[in-house]
Amino acid sequence: MKNKTIFFPEDISTAKDRLDSINTEYGGTIYVGAKNSKYPKDLNGTVLIKAKKLPTSQQYTEFTTYVGFKIIRFDIPDIWPWSGTCGDFVEIFEEGLDTTALTASEYNSGLCADLYSANEGDLDYFTEGSDTAIVRFVSDIAVEGTGFELIFTSFYKSTGSSCYSEDGEFYCDNQNCIAQSLRCDKLNNCGDNSDERNCVYEDAAMDVFRQVLELVTDNYALVIALLSFLSMVFSVVLAFCVRVICQDEAKRLRNKTKKQKQNGVVAADGKKITNPNLKAPVYRKNPGL
């Protein structure tokens, strides 16, 4: 079972300088911002993630369940050219903030656009000696992006051709072992996406509905404006069509009446003969009477 967590809410006052603990349930996602909207400025928040032990770690103390991360969306502005540092950045630590970040480079502790590169075929970052990780996101008061989304997964690295527990574990192609419950959850928990291979997603229609709903939610004001515009256009088109139809019908009736007046013949009994080829009967006085 995955646990999808909103990293920071729009309310900066509650997001700033806080520490949240997450029950991982073996894995899930953390995200800041949305695909179509920018994250708030002046954020500084931290999330603590503690790995949930896999069956092997529960049975054998020499096997530690670690925390791995795979970034699936990343839009944080580039390094400031005059300082060589990131204004906005995400950091991943093992255990404590006083340690060197797993995301550290020569001049930066965190990641921004110029420093991020995906690790094809495996997890992007992972703890190596602890079952605990800390994710911190910082944004300044200047330029902001749409944020990031990353998958976190409880895992351990197998040294063989299978996981050490046959009950409740899945063996990835890259030798990572994850919870079987993460198989076919539409998230790349293995790092090489082997846990999503040959999957049949029965809720495809619901997934499309969810994506549409997220798109509408992220662009609520735009959707309302678009619906208002379409409603106005529809009203104008409808009024135009009704007017044209009414004018055509009135014209047709006028033409019909005019034609009847031109071609009509009146019989002796006063009734109109609509067939112009017919002639009115002529009544003559019978000379024998």
Side-chain angles (χ1 to χ4, degrees), residues 66-69 92 94 102 119 122-129 155 157:
Y66 301 115
V67 184
F69 297 92
I92 301 176
E94 184 170 342
L102 300 174
N119 182 14
D122 208 342
L123 299 167
D124 293 327
Y125 301 96
F126 52 87
T127 61
E128 299 182 80
F155 83 103
K157 182 74 75 172

Side-chain angles (χ1 to χ4, degrees), residues 58-130:
Q58 297 174 13
Q59 297 172 15
Y60 308 104
T61 56
E62 62 269 27
F63 289 98
T64 301
T65 299
Y66 301 115
V67 184
F69 297 92
K70 189 70 177 179
I71 298 175
I72 55 177
R73 181 175 64 84
F74 196 84
D75 178 31
I76 297 177
D78 296 339
I79 291 175
W80 293 115
W82 54 84
S83 65
T85 58
C86 300
D88 300 351
F89 55 87
V90 56
E91 298 171 303
I92 301 176
F93 296 89
E94 184 170 342
E95 288 194 319
L97 297 175
D98 56 345
T99 61
T100 301
L102 300 174
T103 52
S105 58
E106 185 177 2
Y107 298 108
N108 290 272
S109 177
L111 291 176
C112 57
D114 290 336
L115 301 177
Y116 165 65
S117 61
N119 182 14
E120 299 296 335
D122 208 342
L123 299 167
D124 293 327
Y125 301 96
F126 52 87
T127 61
E128 299 182 80
S130 171

Side-chain angles (χ1 to χ4, degrees), residues 22-30 47-54 57 63-70 91-95 102 122-135 150-157 176-178 182 188-191:
I22 296 178
N23 178 14
T24 66
E25 290 297 332
Y26 293 124
T29 60
I30 297 175
V47 172
L48 172 68
I49 301 175
K50 187 173 179 61
K52 186 172 182 179
K53 287 186 177 181
L54 291 163
S57 299
F63 289 98
T64 301
T65 299
Y66 301 115
V67 184
F69 297 92
K70 189 70 177 179
E91 298 171 303
I92 301 176
F93 296 89
E94 184 170 342
E95 288 194 319
L102 300 174
D122 208 342
L123 299 167
D124 293 327
Y125 301 96
F126 52 87
T127 61
E128 299 182 80
S130 171
D131 62 353
T132 303
I134 295 176
V135 179
L150 59 83
I151 302 167
F152 59 88
T153 305
S154 299
F155 83 103
Y156 69 86
K157 182 74 75 172
N176 290 340
C177 288
I178 64 174
L182 299 179
N188 182 8
N189 297 98
C190 281

Side-chain angles (χ1 to χ4, degrees), residues 133-168:
I134 295 176
V135 179
R136 179 167 66 183
F137 177 68
V138 176
S139 66
D140 58 19
I141 60 174
V143 181
E144 72 267 53
T146 59
F148 69 91
E149 185 170 0
L150 59 83
I151 302 167
F152 59 88
T153 305
S154 299
F155 83 103
Y156 69 86
K157 182 74 75 172
S158 174
T159 57
S161 58
S162 65
C163 297
Y164 301 115
S165 174
E166 297 180 356
D167 183 23

Side-chain angles (χ1 to χ4, degrees), residues 202-222:
E202 296 180 357
D203 60 340
M206 287 301 296
D207 188 53
V208 171
F209 175 75
R210 179 185 61 81
Q211 293 179 8
V212 172
L213 185 61
E214 288 181 354
L215 181 63
V216 171
T217 303
D218 293 341
N219 300 274
Y220 179 76
L222 180 61

